[in-house]
């Protein structure tokens, strides 16, 4: 166990350094949300307009909420609901506010269950490209001699194989559980410190490869030409949801990680670094994926199939296609794992602290629950959930999509609104000011954003999202 930093409460683990905290938090933020969801959402929502509004959401809503969450965690030095309770107690406010973090812990558990399903697909594609590399050799394109429909059909055929989907999902979850059960310094921090640099190395290589071999100019024009006529309410809603998902907000993940930060860490500065790294990776992911997709003459707007279907087809025509494909999915695996670890850590920390259990026991309890829920969504892929699917919000949706929708459209925005009200209006301002590491104009701006802009904008978006 790492030595507790100054200010830590007894028995509580801490990151071994500020850079370990940054790597772990960036690891939580950078994941399938950046590599898979962001390019798909940008493609489905018209490219440039979505990207501009996304950046606006990160700066004006995501960043202030991120700082609010980590500062609650750092003050509380405990699992998320307990941290909120301690801030409330020290502010002489109702401890009932801890419900905002309890909801977050539950939402993290729900996200974990379906996140590991997609993690399973990533493992599947690592296998597909590894065996292809073996067959076609190093230099040629991927899947030599196979028809595009064949390559595109890999994903639906996986969906049709419930047993394989469940097996891969459990495999991904088991790796996540292994690291979380080892604790903060030798598990969670270890994954971040070793895998994040490897991720960045592969990511840089693939982006440069995409820029040189693909249609880079078309991708730049697509992502950065701001056509305001395309900025509809629906696009804005998609952008704010994506910003939250990508920054791991509204679900107690960042509160939990903030609790392992020591008193010396400047949280304002650290939050800025986390948000910049996450947004930088999302934009660069677009600049890595779209040039390759455009060079193959494929469409940008096919949605979730972009990474799992279009990209493998595009790799067919590329030099070193199998090798790059393999490297790409290994890189995505690293990014996904450092995020799933944070999703599992939030509920696990709550279970072992609340019920005074050993960490590995708590990991097994939470992991088993996520395994069951994830297995159900893998097994009943495409089958509308009885009862729920008749509601307008989840019309005809299967369990996977209901879980995705309920967390992104309800839990994340509601959790964030409550966090803003709590930090901006309820908690003792002196306590908050001591934690946030900001001064002068930056401090005033942050406070105004948390008190007024974020809750109002989020409430409007929530209402539009639920009624529109
Ligand atoms: N931010 C992660 C991603 O972009 O893939 C997903 C995520 C991780 C969401 C952790 C929420 C969370 F607490």
């Amino acid at each position: 166990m790492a030595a507790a930093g100054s200010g830590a409460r007894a028995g509580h683990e801490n990151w071994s350094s500020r850079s370990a905290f940054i790597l772990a938090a960036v690891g939580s933020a950078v994941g399938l949300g950046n590599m898979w969801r962001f390019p798909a959402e940008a493609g489905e929502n018209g490219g440039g307009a979505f990207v501009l509004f996304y950046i606006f959401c990160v700066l004006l809503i995501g960043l202030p909420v991120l700082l609010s969450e980590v500062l609650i965690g750092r003050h509380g030095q405990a699992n998320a609901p307990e941290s909120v309770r301690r801030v409330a107690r020290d502010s002489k406010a109702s401890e009932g506010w801890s419900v905002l973090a309890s909801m977050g812990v539950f939402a993290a558990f729900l996200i974990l269950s379906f996140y590991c399903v997609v993690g399973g697909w990533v493992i599947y594609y690592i296998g597909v490209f590894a065996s292809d590399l073996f067959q076609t050799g190093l230099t040629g394109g991927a899947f030599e001699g196979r028809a595009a429909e064949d390559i595109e059909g890999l994903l639906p055929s996986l969906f049709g194989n419930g047993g394989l989907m469940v097996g891969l999902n459990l495999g991904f979850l088991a790796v996540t559980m292994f690291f979380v059960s080892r604790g903060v310094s030798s598990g969670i921090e270890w994954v971040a410190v070793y895998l994040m640099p490897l991720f960045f190395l592969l990511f840089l290589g693939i982006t440069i490869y995409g820029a040189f071999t693909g249609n880079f100019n078309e991708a730049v024009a697509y992502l950065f030409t701001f056509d305001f006529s395309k900025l509809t309410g629906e696009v804005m809603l998609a952008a704010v949801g994506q910003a939250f998902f990508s920054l791991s907000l509204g679900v107690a993940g960042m509160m939990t990680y903030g609790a392992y930060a020591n008193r010396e860490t400047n949280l304002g500065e650290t939050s800025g670094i986390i948000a910049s790294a996450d947004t930088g990776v999302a934009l660069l992911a677009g600049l890595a994926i779209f040039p390759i997709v455009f060079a193959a003459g494929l469409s940008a707007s096919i949605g979730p199939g972009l990474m799992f279907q279009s990209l493998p087809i595009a790799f067919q025509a590329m030099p070193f296609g199998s090798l790059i494909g393999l490297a790409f999915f290994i890189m995505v695996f690293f990014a996904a794992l450092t995020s799933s670890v944070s999703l599992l850590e939030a509920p696990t920390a709550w279970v072992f602290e609340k019920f005074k259990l050993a960490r590995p026991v708590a990991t097994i309890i939470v992991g088993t629950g996520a395994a069951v829920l994830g297995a159900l969504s893998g097994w009943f892929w495409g089958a509308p959930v009885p009862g729920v699917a008749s509601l307008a919000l989840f019309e005809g949706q299967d369990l996977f999509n209901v879980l995705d929708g309920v967390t992104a459209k309800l839990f994340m925005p509601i959790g964030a609104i409550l966090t803003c009200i709590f930090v901006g209006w309820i908690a003792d301002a002196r306590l908050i000011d001591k934690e946030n590491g900001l001064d002068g104009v930056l401090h005033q701006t942050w406070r105004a954003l948390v008190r007024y802009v974020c809750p109002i904008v989020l409430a409007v978006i929530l209402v539009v999202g639920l009624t529109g």
Side-chain angles (χ1 to χ4, degrees):
M1 186 188 283
S6 61
R9 306 207 186 200
H12 185 75
E13 284 190 87
N14 277 71
W15 305 114
S16 59
S17 63
R18 176 174 173 254
S19 49
F21 171 38
I22 293 177
L23 279 173
V26 170
S28 168
V30 172
L32 292 168
N34 304 62
M35 312 303 305
W36 171 60
R37 216 168 177 268
F38 177 79
E41 291 276 328
E44 278 183 313
N45 290 292
F50 172 89
V51 173
L52 178 69
F53 194 73
Y54 175 81
I55 296 172
F56 171 85
C57 289
V58 168
L59 286 175
L60 288 187
I61 304 173
L63 188 51
V65 175
L66 173 62
L67 176 54
S68 305
E69 292 199 7
V70 287
L71 76 76
I72 291 176
R74 207 261 300 270
H75 183 84
Q77 296 280 307
N79 65 78
E82 181 57 26
S83 286
V84 176
R85 199 168 292 128
R86 288 177 181 176
V87 174
R89 199 181 305 147
D90 293 345
S91 306
K92 302 197 171 39
S94 161
E95 293 182 22
W97 280 95
S98 67
V99 71
L100 74 92
S102 308
M103 274 173 44
V105 164
F106 182 60
F109 167 78
L110 297 181
I111 297 176
L112 174 72
S113 74
F114 71 81
Y115 203 83
C116 289
V117 172
V118 186
W121 306 349
V122 175
I123 299 181
Y124 177 73
Y125 276 84
I126 291 177
V128 165
F129 276 100
S131 78
D132 189 60
L133 182 64
F134 206 65
Q135 280 160 22
T136 45
L138 202 62
T139 48
F143 310 111
E144 250 164 33
R146 282 175 76 173
E149 299 81 62
D150 239 21
I151 306 169
E152 200 175 8
L154 286 167
L155 193 63
S157 76
L158 172 62
F159 291 169
N161 187 341
L164 184 58
M165 279 259 272
V166 172
L168 291 165
N169 165 22
L170 294 185
F172 187 85
L173 182 61
V175 181
T176 307
M177 287 168 67
F178 171 76
F179 286 107
V180 170
S181 70
R182 292 174 60 89
V184 175
S185 48
S186 40
I188 301 171
E189 188 173 311
W190 191 95
V191 201
V193 167
Y194 288 99
L195 297 193
M196 284 318 282
L198 274 175
F199 164 82
F200 277 110
L201 213 70
L202 284 169
F203 185 60
L204 210 70
I206 290 170
T207 311
I208 294 171
Y209 169 90
F212 279 104
T213 50
N215 197 337
F216 194 65
N217 291 345
E218 196 181 335
V220 171
Y222 182 72
L223 286 172
F224 298 107
T225 306
F226 303 123
D227 177 354
F228 284 99
S229 66
K230 287 191 180 149
L231 196 61
T232 61
E234 207 180 319
V235 170
M236 290 194 229
L237 190 59
V240 81
Q242 175 59 23
F244 267 65
F245 188 86
S246 193
L247 289 169
S248 309
L249 297 177
V251 295
M254 287 298 182
M255 266 181 217
T256 310
Y257 273 18
Y260 305 133
N262 64 29
R263 295 238 73 78
E264 288 74 44
T265 307
N266 180 320
L267 297 183
E269 199 181 285
T270 308
S271 302
I273 297 173
I274 299 166
S276 319
D278 184 60
T279 310
V281 171
L283 295 178
L284 280 177
L287 288 179
I289 290 174
F290 286 119
I292 298 173
V293 168
F294 287 149
L298 299 169
S299 156
S301 58
I302 82 155
L306 191 65
M307 187 174 101
F308 291 105
Q309 291 176 298
S310 302
L311 206 58
I313 296 175
F315 281 135
Q316 191 172 35
M318 311 288 280
F320 301 98
S322 315
L323 181 69
I324 300 290
L326 179 61
F328 181 88
F329 281 99
I330 290 177
M331 169 191 83
V332 175
F333 176 77
F334 289 166
L337 185 64
T338 50
S339 299
S340 62
V341 158
S342 71
L343 284 165
L344 177 57
E345 175 62 9
T348 299
W350 177 73
V351 169
F352 80 74
E353 287 180 12
K354 169 101 184 156
F355 301 103
K356 305 209 170 25
L357 297 172
R359 175 182 270 276
V361 176
T363 311
I364 291 172
I365 294 174
V366 179
T368 307
V372 172
L373 198 56
L376 288 175
S377 51
W379 191 257
F380 292 107
W381 186 263
V385 184
V388 178
S390 58
L391 303 173
L393 189 61
F394 304 113
E395 209 183 320
Q397 288 182 359
D398 61 3
L399 185 58
F400 179 96
N401 284 298
V402 168
L403 290 174
D404 185 15
V406 92
T407 47
K409 292 189 181 132
L410 292 175
F411 280 96
M412 284 184 161
I414 293 176
I417 292 173
L418 291 177
T419 303
C420 290
I421 297 174
F422 180 66
V423 168
W425 298 93
I426 307 293
D428 183 343
R430 278 164 309 180
L431 178 158
I432 298 295
D433 295 352
K434 229 189 287 161
E435 295 285 355
N436 70 13
L438 300 174
D439 37 37
V441 182
L442 267 185
H443 175 79
Q444 279 153 7
T445 311
W446 174 74
R447 212 161 162 73
L449 289 173
V450 170
R451 282 165 78 96
Y452 305 102
V453 180
C454 301
I456 293 172
V457 173
L458 282 171
V460 170
I461 289 173
L462 185 66
V463 171
V464 171
L466 293 182
T467 53

